[in-house]
Amino acid sequence: MKKQPQPANSGNELTKSPEEPPSRQEKPAFPIVGIGASAGGLEALEQFLVHVPENSGMAFVIVQHLDPTHKGVLPELLQHTTGMEVFQVVDRMRVKTNCVYVIPPNKDMSMLRGVLHLFEPTAPRGLRLPIDFFLRSLAEDWQELSIGVILSGMGSDGTMGLRAIKEKAGLTLVQEPASARFDSMPMSAIDAGLADIIAPAEELPGKIFAYLRHLLIIGKPERPLEEKDQSALEKVLILLRDRTGHDFSMYKKNTVYRRIERRMGIHQIDRIAAYVRYLQENSQEVELLFKELLIGVTSFFRDPAAWEQLQGVALPAILAGRPAGCVLRAWSAGCSTGEEAYSLAIAFKEVMEPVNPAGKFTLQIFATDLDPDAIDKARQGLYPANIAADISPERLHRFFIKEENGYRVGKEIREMVTFATQNVIMDPPFTKLDILICRNLLIYLTPELQKKLMPLFHYSLNPGGVLFLGSAETAGTFAELFAPLNIKSRLFLRRESVSPCEPLAFPVSFAPAQQGFSKEQPMLKPSDLQSLADQVLLQHFTPPAVLVNDKGDILYISGKTGRYLEPAAGKANWNIFAMAREGLRLDLSSAFQKAIRQKKAITAKGLKVGTNGSTQTIDLTVQAIEEPEALRGMVMVVFNDVATLRGKKPSFNPGLAANVRVLELEQELQHCREELQTTREEMQSSQEELRSTNEELQSANEELITSREEMQSMNEELQTVNAEQQSKMDELSRVNDDMRNLLNSTEIITVFLDKELHIRRFTTGVDKIFKLIPGDVGRPLSDIVSDLLYSRITEDAREVLRTLAFSEKQITATDGRWFSVRIMPYRTMEDVIDGVVITFADITVAKTLEAELREEVSVLRAKSSK
C-alpha cells in the first residue's frame, strides 16, 4: 500500500502549500475521470481499474456512498487492483495524473482549479448526493476535459452530474445495467438520455481511451475553426435541418463543432467528411446529434442568489405596478425539462403570501423548448430524488408529492405552467409578458442572432416587465432597451423611452400580411352606359354634354358637340383635352381638376371658343359623378351657349377693334395669372394633404403590423394551450383505459359514490346486483333496486364518511348468492375525501364450501357421539 498524503501543513508534495493559493494555479491539461458508485460497487470499481494502464495520462476520482461511521478501507482494497497510486483525499489536495483519489467517509467533495476540497455534509443521512455534488464541480472546473462514469449503485445520484458534464462537452459513460449488481443509478442516467456510452465496467476504460485518441485532446491543441472543413460542417447542418426541421447555422460555430467532435470521438471517426457519410447512412445518429446540440444544464433555483433577487425585488415591483386581480404572464424560453418554469411558479406562490391575500393575482407561465422529449418530461413533472440537493425540505414538502421514483410537482404548481415545443428563433414569440426568462441560451447563439432576439424580447414585454438572463449573459449592448435591475443577478427592466432603432426582425414563420388588391370597376356594356348617361342628363342638364373617365377619355357623347370639340390631327385620340377647340382647353383642364378634387360641380362662364373662323361664348360646367354607383369616378362635361345681344351690326372700326383685341388679351393674361396662382395654391395644398395622408398611412401600417404580430402571437399561445390540453387528454385517456381494464380484470363489482351518496361511476357486472343503467349516474344509491339483503348500506356508507374507517360485511342476496361488501373512503390526489367506494366480491363458492364443511363436521360429530 502506497503512503497516503497528509494534510496541507504536513509538507506532502501532492498537497497545496499555504503560500500558493489554488486560485492562482494553472489547470493541468489532462482529463479527470469522476467515478460514482455505491458501497456495493466494489466489484465494478475493480473491474474498471484493472483495465486502466499505469501510465494512462489521466486522473481518477472515486466518489462512493460510504457508511459515515466506518473507517474507509477502499484505498487499500483498490491498491491491490491497480499499479497507479491510490490516495484517500485530504482537504486541499491537488490532483495529479496517473493517480486515483478516493473520497473519505462522511464527507462531501468538490473541485476548484484542480484542487480537491472536503466539506462536512449538511444533509441528513439518506438524502446526501455526493456524486452529483462532485461531478457538477468537475464539469465547471475541467469543462470539456471532464469525464463522468456511473457504475453499480442504488438511487439516482450522479444523473444531474452527468448532465452538467455533457453540457460542458465532456464525456459520459454508464455501466450496462445488466452487468451491474445494483442497476438503479445506471438506469436513472440512461432514462434521462445522458449516457454517451453504455458498456460493462471492464470495457469502459477502453472506450475512454478510444474516444480521447480520436479527439486528439491529449497533448495536442485544438486547431482553429478556420482550418477545419467548412464545407463538411455546413453539410452536417443541412442534414440536421432536413431531418429535424431546425436550422443550427446561427449557433456559434465552435460550439457546434465541439459537439460534433464528441459524436465523432464516440464513433471513432477521424474526419468530419466521414462523419457526414455516417449521418447520411444512419438516421438515428442525426437524432442523437440533435439531442447533443440541445443539451443544457438546468435545475431548480439555479443560481440561488439570482432567484432571491427575483423574489425580493423584481416580483414585488411587478405586483406593485399592476392592478389587483390581474393575470400576470411569463415566458420561460428554452425551459428544457421544466425546472426553471416550476421554480418561477414556486417563487410566485411564496411572494404572494406576505404581499397580497390569496386570489388577488394569478400567474400564467408559458414554457417552451426545442426538444419535444424534454417538453414531455416537463409535462409529467416527475423528477428524481436528487433534486433534494437544490430544493429545501420545506419546498419539497409543500410543493411536491413524494413518489416511489422521486418527486412529482404538486397540482397547484403544475396548473400554472403550459408547456409546448417552440423554436425561439423561427416561431412567433409570446407577447404582453410581465416576466421573460431566457437563461443560458443566448451564449450559444451568434452575436447577429442576439441582436435580433433582444429587440424581440423588448417587444414581448409589457411596460415594467422583467428580463431574467443567465449568469454568463448580459444586455449591456442593448442599454437603450433594458436597464439593469440587478446586474449581478442578471435581472433587467424594460425601458420605455428608447431611441429610434431598426425595425424589428420578426421570425420568418410569421405569416406575411395579405397583399392588398385593387378593386377594378366593372366593365359596362355600351347600351347600359348610354341608358345611365341619359338618365343623368335628363335629371340635371339638357345641353350638349360629354361623359369621360378620370383621365379625360370620352366614353359617351350626348347632343351635338362639334362647336366645342374636334378630332385632333394625327392618330385618333378620343381624349377631351386633345379635342377641345381654341379658347376652351385651358379652362376645361382647370375646371376638370377642381371637380375631381372637390367632388362638386365647377362652372367657368364667358369662355370664348373659336368655331370655324368665328367665336362663340359659352358657359362650361364640369361635374364629378358620385351617383349612381356604376358611374362613380366618371366626369360629366356640359356645354351651355350664351346668347349674344341682337341689334344693328356695328360699322367696322380698325382702331376700336385693335383696342378691343388688346383688352381681351390683357383679360386673358390676367385670367391665366389667376389660374396659375390658384393652381400653385392647390398644388401646395395637395402636397400637404399627401404628406398628411402618407403619415396616416404609415401609422396605420405600423398599427396593422403590430396587430398582425399580436394575432400571430395569440395564435401561437392558442396552439401551445391546445398542445398542452391534447397531451393531458391523451394521458387521461390512457389512465382511464388502464383503470377500466384493471377493474374489469379483478371481476370485483365496484360502485363510486360522491359525498351525497349519489352514483358517480360503476364497473361492468354491476347489473348482477343493482338494476343500474348508464342514465342512473347522479341518482342516489337509495333509489336503486338491489338484490342484496342489505337495507343499511346507505347508513353504513354515511358512517364511513363520518369516521373515515372502512366497513366490511358479508351479505346474502335474494337468490342465495353471497357477497363481501367493502365500503372505503374515496381519497383524491390532494388527500381530500370526496365520497366512498363500495366493492362487491362474490364469495358464494366459499360460503357453499363453508356450509358443506360444517355439515360434514356435524355428521362426523354425530357419528362420534354414537
Side-chain angles (χ1 to χ4, degrees), residues 809-828:
K809 296 181 179 180
Q810 295 182 355
I811 306 297
T812 185
T814 55
D815 56 0
R817 290 176 299 160
W818 282 86
F819 291 90
S820 174
V821 181
R822 186 181 181 91
I823 306 176
M824 296 187 65
Y826 181 96
R827 294 181 183 270
T828 65

Side-chain angles (χ1 to χ4, degrees), residues 514-650:
Q514 294 184 354
Q515 299 295 329
F517 60 94
S518 59
K519 186 177 180 181
E520 299 182 356
Q521 295 180 349
M523 298 297 294
L524 300 177
K525 297 180 180 179
S527 58
D528 297 336
L529 194 66
Q530 179 178 354
S531 175
L532 294 171
D534 288 342
Q535 291 179 20
V536 174
L537 290 172
L538 290 173
Q539 291 175 6
H540 302 284
F541 311 102
T542 55
V546 178
L547 180 69
V548 299
N549 62 14
D550 58 355
K551 305 297 182 184
D553 298 325
I554 297 175
L555 304 175
Y556 176 68
I557 298 176
S558 174
K560 297 179 180 180
T561 59
R563 288 180 295 177
Y564 323 109
L565 305 174
E566 65 176 346
K571 185 178 180 181
N573 188 347
W574 285 87
N575 189 278
I576 192 171
F577 305 115
M579 296 178 64
R581 287 184 178 273
E582 182 182 354
L584 180 63
R585 185 173 298 121
L586 181 62
D587 294 283
L588 173 62
S589 176
S590 176
F592 189 89
Q593 296 300 328
K594 286 184 180 180
I596 290 292
R597 289 194 303 270
Q598 300 179 14
K599 303 298 182 183
K600 65 180 182 179
I602 303 298
T603 302
K605 297 184 178 181
L607 304 181
K608 302 291 185 180
V609 181
T611 307
N612 298 327
S614 62
T615 59
Q616 171 69 37
T617 303
I618 68 169
D619 291 344
L620 176 70
T621 301
V622 182
Q623 172 73 60
I625 300 175
E626 295 294 325
E627 298 292 341
E629 177 70 24
L631 296 183
R632 180 173 297 177
M634 300 182 186
V635 180
M636 187 71 74
V637 181
V638 183
F639 306 98
N640 284 296
D641 289 338
V642 178
T644 58
L645 296 175
R646 293 184 179 182
K648 183 179 178 180
K649 185 176 181 181

Side-chain angles (χ1 to χ4, degrees), residues 425-447:
I425 301 172
M426 305 295 293
D427 295 330
F430 295 90
T431 57
K432 298 181 179 179
L433 303 171
D434 299 287
I435 305 170
L436 199 163
I437 300 179
C438 183
R439 310 193 72 209
N440 304 310
L441 172 63
L442 299 179
I443 57 177
Y444 298 109
L445 308 179
T446 60

Side-chain angles (χ1 to χ4, degrees), residues 381-383 387 395-412 414 828-831:
L382 180 62
Y383 296 95
I387 63 171
R395 283 173 171 166
L396 279 176
H397 177 72
R398 179 179 173 187
F399 301 111
F400 293 82
I401 300 172
K402 184 71 172 70
E403 295 189 1
E404 181 180 357
N405 298 324
Y407 292 93
R408 188 179 296 275
V409 176
K411 183 179 179 181
E412 65 169 339
R414 177 63 186 88
T828 65
M829 291 291 293
E830 290 76 25
D831 202 24

